[in-house]
């Protein structure tokens, strides 16, 4: 059976703490471009798609995708689970990895591993956040379309609709979860996501330090630089 797995980059233009962050520039490149570059390096994908909302405020993201030949799906603003599900259906994917638009240092290597171990007949989801041992911003979540549809039909809490995979963790006994091996060292308190101005400054510094190697930087290199930055800042 030929299973199709894509990557869905969830992005929105408005952010209370860092408005317009998706298109903020670092070395003449938008934040979302860094996210997409990493997504394109994931092995075994059938495609990459940005999923944003149909609200007018998200027009700049859709326009960016259009100008850069990136497939874009537009759906609900608040109901992110529905947007994710419909994006999968729209692309004809049996499963998809979830990538947050504020995670420009997500790991292509870890996502590739998730695709390697994914067994559609035996797994509804592959994750590395239950429990978390990798940094925030390096989450891995590969979800099957059929499992998400099943979960979606039972969701009632607003937070379930906002956080695509929350329902799976709250009802883990009802699903077959596959797991990436735990990280050797617990880095769950580290955040590499870009959610605030200070996060953005740190990301700029990291990219400058990594130079042309940023796309292929290994995990330990990024962690070492993060620790170095935090020490220097304090």
């Amino acid at each position: 059976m030929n299973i199709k797995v894509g990557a869905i980059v969830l992005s929105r233009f408005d952010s209370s703490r860092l408005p317009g962050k998706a298109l903020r520039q670092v070395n003449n490149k938008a934040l979302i471009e860094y996210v997409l570059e990493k997504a394109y390096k994931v092995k075994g994908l059938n495609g990459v798609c940005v999923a944003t909302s149909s609200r007018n405020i998200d027009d700049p993201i859709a326009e960016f995708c259009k100008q850069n030949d990136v497939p874009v799906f537009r759906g609900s603003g608040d109901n992110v689970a529905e947007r994710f599900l419909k994006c999968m259906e729209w692309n004809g994917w049996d499963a998809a990895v979830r990538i947050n638009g504020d995670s420009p240092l997500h790991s292509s290597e870890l996502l590739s591993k998730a695709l390697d171990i994914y067994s559609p007949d035996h797994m509804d989801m592959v994750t590395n956040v239950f429990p978390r041992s990798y940094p925030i911003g390096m989450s891995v979540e590969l979800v099957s379309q059929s499992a998400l549809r099943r979960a979606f039909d039972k969701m009632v809490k607003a937070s379930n609709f906002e956080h695509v995979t929350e329902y799976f963790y709250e009802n883990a006994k009802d699903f077959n979860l596959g797991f990436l091996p735990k990280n050797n060292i617990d880095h769950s308190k580290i955040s590499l996501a870009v959610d605030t101005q200070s996060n953005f400054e740190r990301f700029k510094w990291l990219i400058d330090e990594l130079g042309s190697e940023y796309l292929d930087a290994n995990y330990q290199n990024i962690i070492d630089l993060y620790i170095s930055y935090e020490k220097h800042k304090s």
Side-chain angles (χ1 to χ4, degrees):
M1 188 165 56
N2 189 17
I3 294 290
K4 290 187 173 177
V5 183
I8 297 175
V9 176
L10 292 167
S11 183
R12 62 192 182 98
F13 199 67
D14 57 330
S15 160
S16 55
R17 289 186 282 190
L18 194 62
K21 64 183 173 185
L23 297 181
R24 288 204 176 201
Q25 301 272 314
V26 175
N27 296 348
N28 299 314
K29 195 180 289 187
L31 191 71
I32 195 170
E33 217 169 326
Y34 286 97
V35 179
L36 287 164
E37 279 183 332
K38 286 254 187 189
Y40 287 128
K41 281 181 66 73
V42 178
K43 295 181 178 73
L45 287 176
N46 290 95
V48 176
C49 184
V50 170
T52 193
S53 89
S54 49
R55 303 170 306 158
N56 293 341
I57 196 164
D58 287 323
D59 287 351
I61 291 174
E63 190 55 37
F64 168 86
C65 292
K66 196 173 161 186
Q67 288 171 2
N68 291 276
D69 295 320
V70 177
V72 61
F73 174 83
R74 304 191 72 174
S76 172
D78 296 330
N79 194 336
V80 189
E82 180 191 76
R83 192 197 321 161
F84 194 91
L85 183 57
K86 288 192 171 178
C87 182
M88 258 198 274
E89 292 169 349
W90 185 69
N91 282 287
W93 294 334
D94 302 289
V97 294
R98 179 173 85 108
I99 300 175
N100 279 334
D102 63 0
S103 299
L105 292 168
H106 72 87
S107 171
S108 313
E109 194 182 344
L110 288 174
L111 288 170
S112 298
K113 278 183 188 169
L115 268 82
D116 271 347
I117 69 167
Y118 177 54
S119 169
D121 294 332
H122 305 105
M123 294 176 192
D124 295 316
M125 181 182 184
V126 180
T127 179
N128 74 342
V129 301
F130 191 66
R132 180 183 289 282
S133 61
Y134 281 91
I136 293 163
M138 279 195 180
S139 300
V140 171
E141 293 175 313
L142 188 165
V143 191
S144 86
Q145 186 192 133
S146 59
L148 183 55
R149 192 180 292 113
R150 205 163 77 238
F152 185 75
D153 288 343
K154 294 177 180 173
M155 290 179 189
V156 287
K157 284 163 53 180
S159 63
N160 288 165
F161 295 114
E162 185 186 348
H163 304 289
V164 179
T165 52
E166 182 184 72
Y167 185 88
F168 288 88
Y169 302 130
E170 289 177 347
N171 301 275
K173 66 184 186 309
D174 298 331
F175 297 96
N176 294 317
L177 302 184
F179 303 96
L180 283 184
K182 281 186 74 173
N183 205 4
N184 294 332
I185 303 170
D186 182 3
H187 287 151
S188 59
K189 299 289 189 286
I190 289 177
S191 177
L192 297 168
V194 177
D195 199 32
T196 62
Q197 185 61 38
S198 62
N199 294 164
F200 185 71
E201 297 300 332
R202 182 182 62 221
F203 176 65
K204 281 201 295 189
W205 182 86
L206 285 167
I207 289 297
D208 285 340
E209 287 295 309
L210 291 165
S212 59
E213 302 297 307
Y214 75 90
L215 200 49
D216 296 304
N218 68 38
Y219 178 79
Q220 198 53 52
N221 194 2
I222 290 170
I223 295 299
D224 290 345
L225 282 171
Y226 170 91
I227 292 167
S228 166
Y229 179 83
E230 292 299 312
K231 273 186 186 166
H232 170 72
K233 198 183 71 167
S234 58

